[in-house]
């Protein structure tokens, strides 16, 4: 499976869309998943969120990753980056899903992510009970468990945009307390997540790359 980076000695990276990313961010993960599966080549610039480079801050209106500068537009939302990539090429038909898929993504990005943050980063939200927030997040996971009954993906055998947009956040939720997560009565979700984490696609987008600096533009990437 080809990497989303190119050898900049073979092609000027300025010819490519510039993609700002942070490896562990689930929003950046899902954008990388779409870029990878659609084979949309980009100049990937890995940054550290506690030390954001000026070039990134000048590009991203929200100062958050992921951010894609295509040269003609700046796309500052991860789901929009996924759609941009898949509009160019959707070889696995991720966009072929019912409207319910978009509703699940909205639930994931809204109430579920809010509860996840208050559970995972409990010290940032002392006014909220972390275990109560975990229960709130679990209600969404239970909905996914029901959706996955008898199938390998949310809408049948093959994964769609909804699966790939939501899975990075389920992974984040699971890894707050993996032992607790795996003890829950969610066999479908647990199997769904495990298949994702051990997939070739996930391995490809989770490679480690050097932190970008202005001098790194002409560095060769494998």
């Amino acid at each position: 499976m080809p990497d989303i980076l190119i050898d900049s000695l073979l092609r000027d990276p300025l010819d490519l869309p510039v993609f700002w990313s942070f490896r562990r961010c689930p929003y950046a993960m899902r954008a990388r998943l779409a870029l990878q599966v659609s084979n949309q080549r980009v100049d990937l610039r890995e940054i550290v969120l506690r030390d954001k480079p000026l070039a990134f801050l000048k590009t991203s209106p929200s100062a958050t990753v992921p951010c894609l500068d295509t040269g003609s537009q700046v796309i500052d939302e991860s789901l929009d980056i996924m759609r941009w990539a898949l509009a160019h090429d959707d070889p696995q038909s991720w966009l072929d899903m019912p409207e319910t898929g978009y509703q699940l993504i909205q639930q994931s990005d809204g109430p579920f992510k809010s509860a996840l943050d208050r559970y995972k980063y409990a010290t940032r939200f002392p006014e909220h009970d972390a275990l109560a927030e975990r229960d709130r997040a679990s209600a969404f996971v239970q909905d996914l468990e029901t959706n996955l009954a008898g199938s390998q993906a949310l809408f049948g055998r093959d994964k769609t945009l909804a699966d790939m947009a939501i899975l990075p956040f389920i992974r984040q939720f699971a890894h707050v307390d993996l032992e607790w997560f795996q003890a829950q009565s969610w066999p479908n979700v647990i199997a769904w997540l495990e298949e994702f984490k051990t997939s070739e696609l996930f391995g490809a987008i989770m490679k480690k790359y050097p932190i970008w600096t202005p001098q790194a533009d002409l560095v060769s990437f494998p």
Side-chain angles (χ1 to χ4, degrees):
M1 182 173 290
D3 295 332
I4 55 179
L5 295 180
I6 67 161
D7 187 333
S8 57
L9 295 180
L10 300 178
R11 181 175 178 183
D12 186 343
L14 296 179
D15 291 339
L16 294 172
V18 173
F19 177 67
W20 300 93
S21 181
F22 174 59
R23 180 175 175 271
R24 296 197 306 274
C25 171
Y27 291 105
M29 282 182 198
R30 71 183 187 184
R32 294 199 305 272
L33 287 166
L35 291 168
Q36 183 79 41
V37 80
S38 62
N39 197 27
Q40 293 304 305
R41 298 286 181 166
V42 296
D43 175 15
L44 189 151
R45 299 185 178 186
E46 180 76 9
I47 65 172
V48 177
L49 297 182
R50 65 175 178 273
D51 187 20
K52 299 173 183 176
L54 182 59
F56 165 69
L57 295 174
K58 287 182 176 179
T59 302
S60 171
S62 65
T64 58
V65 293
C67 179
L68 180 72
D69 184 354
T70 70
S72 60
Q73 66 177 137
V74 172
I75 307 176
D76 208 36
E77 295 290 339
S78 60
L79 195 59
D80 291 337
I81 295 172
M82 295 185 82
R83 289 172 173 152
W84 175 88
L86 296 169
H88 286 80
D89 191 11
D90 185 14
Q92 297 185 12
S93 300
W94 286 6
L95 293 176
D96 184 15
M97 71 174 185
E99 184 61 31
T100 309
Y102 291 101
Q103 295 170 6
L104 284 175
I105 294 171
Q106 289 178 348
Q107 293 173 38
S108 175
D109 288 3
F112 173 73
K113 185 60 167 67
S114 174
L116 167 57
D117 286 346
R118 292 184 173 110
Y119 165 49
K120 178 178 173 61
Y121 306 109
T123 56
R124 300 182 191 175
F125 302 96
E127 70 277 19
H128 294 276
D129 180 88
L131 294 184
E133 296 299 325
R134 185 178 72 181
D135 289 343
R136 284 183 58 218
S138 296
F140 177 68
V141 179
Q142 184 59 56
D143 289 343
L144 297 179
E145 176 68 18
T146 301
N147 231 69
L148 287 163
S151 63
Q152 296 175 299
L154 291 172
F155 301 105
R157 183 174 60 86
D158 298 321
K159 290 182 174 60
T160 65
L161 179 66
D163 295 87
M164 307 316 286
I166 294 171
L167 271 163
F169 297 95
I170 299 301
R171 175 183 177 273
Q172 188 180 52
F173 178 63
H175 282 259
V176 177
D177 186 341
L178 189 57
E179 183 177 356
W180 172 86
F181 181 87
Q182 292 179 334
Q184 304 310 299
S185 298
W186 298 325
N188 299 320
V189 168
I190 291 169
W192 178 63
L193 177 61
E194 185 63 22
E195 191 279 330
F196 170 68
K197 292 195 300 182
T198 58
S199 68
E200 181 184 2
L201 177 59
F202 183 71
I205 66 110
M206 290 303 287
K207 287 184 178 181
K208 292 184 178 180
Y209 292 99
I211 300 302
W212 180 85
T213 67
Q215 294 77 27
D217 276 350
L218 298 178
V219 172
S220 176
F221 290 91

